[in-house]
Amino acid sequence: MTTRTRFAPSPTGPLHLGHAFSALVAYDMAHGAEGEFLLRIEDIDTSRARPAWEAQIYEDLQWLGLDWPTPVLRQSENMAAYESALDRLWQAGLLYPCSCNRRDILEAMSAPQEGASLPMGPDGLIYPGTCRDTPRGPGTERPRDSALRLDMRRAVAQRLFAFTETGAGPGGETGLITVTPDQLIHHVGDVVLSRRDMGTSYHLSVVMDDAAQGITHVTRGADLFEATAIHVVLQNLLDLPIPLYHHHRLIRDEAGKRLAKRDDARALATYRDQGLQPADIRSMLGLPSTAGSQGL
């Protein structure tokens, strides 16, 4: 089996050192196994995605010495696949429409104030199930004017879910990771699979795209480790292959805070303008020099 990895940035701001680390880890893993590295543009948030940022993604990655097959998959051009998956889950009775906003969820949880101790999962606040009894398929038309949530209790149906971790989660988790129905129901909850303003969600799109592109090794930051349980559930429900997962350390600033796109001081374009070379970036990130497409 050919090793195939990917880097999937969103064109909503400049790439920084954290992005460079994730891209280089994926690139090095693929090329070390004589495999293939793919680039994907996650632009389903059309309200924030900008062509200029997408163009800079290509420029920054090429400067780092990375190359990839073209054309690049852009999520905004793959909506038909997400629609088909939503139809399938709807007709299976696993989705329900939800009109709740954050305030509604907080009130339903009887939270005294925002910031109080609340049950949090990989997708944020764990939904209390306010809309769970809303009528749904099979045999009915999937609504297009509301968010759609996965009924986690129905979806897991007393099944165990598992994936193989070749890196390490935030707690050092590695090897075969088993996720129980109880964990999914009580610590993940009914996640949104289709946002009203997008027609899809990160969780649904990423599993569909990874399957469509034949990704064998998903490399990403340890902050997404908990979300893997959601993705493995969807892969099972939609009969998609389950890739190996490799979560890596996060790149943080001097205060220990994870880098964000607003941190322009650590943007790759800034380092390039200062005269640094790709080898300098690798050294800053603690990565070995490799024989990439431009001598890295």
Side-chain angles (χ1 to χ4, degrees), residues 82-287:
Y82 313 144
E83 293 278 345
S84 177
L86 289 168
D87 283 338
R88 178 173 174 178
L89 295 172
W90 176 263
Q91 291 304 322
L94 298 177
L95 301 180
Y96 61 88
C98 178
S99 59
C100 297
N101 56 32
R102 182 179 174 83
R103 182 184 295 275
D104 295 330
I105 295 173
L106 287 169
E107 290 178 352
M109 301 169 86
S110 301
Q113 61 183 15
E114 188 169 353
S117 179
L118 295 170
M120 300 293 290
D123 209 30
L125 285 171
I126 296 177
Y127 185 64
T130 307
C131 297
R132 191 177 295 133
D133 293 331
T134 305
R136 65 186 92 176
T140 62
E141 184 176 353
R142 175 168 61 87
R144 313 287 171 147
D145 58 352
S146 63
L148 296 175
R149 289 184 178 273
L150 177 68
D151 187 331
M152 189 63 78
R153 188 175 294 274
R154 288 193 183 188
V156 298
Q158 303 305 311
R159 297 169 57 189
L160 291 177
F161 297 85
F163 64 94
T164 298
E165 173 64 52
T166 66
E173 302 91 339
T174 192
L176 183 64
I177 308 296
T178 301
V179 187
T180 68
D182 182 73
Q183 289 173 308
L184 290 162
I185 294 167
H186 298 293
H187 301 288
V188 175
D190 295 357
V191 295
V192 172
L193 293 190
S194 177
R195 285 177 49 176
R196 182 177 180 180
D197 57 344
M198 289 184 185
T200 184
S201 67
Y202 164 73
H203 298 305
L204 180 67
S205 298
V206 74
V207 299
M208 294 298 294
D209 295 341
D210 284 341
Q213 293 189 296
I215 302 302
T216 62
H217 295 66
V218 172
T219 62
R220 58 192 185 188
D223 56 322
L224 287 170
F225 177 82
E226 299 297 336
T228 308
I230 302 170
H231 301 164
V232 173
V233 169
L234 291 175
Q235 287 155 353
N236 277 271
L237 294 175
L238 295 168
D239 297 317
L240 302 175
I242 300 175
L244 299 176
Y245 285 88
H246 184 94
H247 292 87
H248 57 68
R249 61 184 171 89
L250 301 178
I251 304 302
R252 302 181 182 276
D253 62 17
E254 293 82 356
K257 187 176 181 181
R258 181 167 64 92
L259 299 185
K261 286 188 175 180
R262 62 181 176 273
D263 191 356
D264 291 340
R266 292 173 178 79
L268 293 183
T270 300
Y271 289 113
R272 184 167 66 249
D273 291 343
Q274 293 172 349
L276 271 69
Q277 298 299 311
D280 298 318
I281 301 298
R282 281 185 169 272
S283 179
M284 292 170 63
L285 295 171
L287 291 172

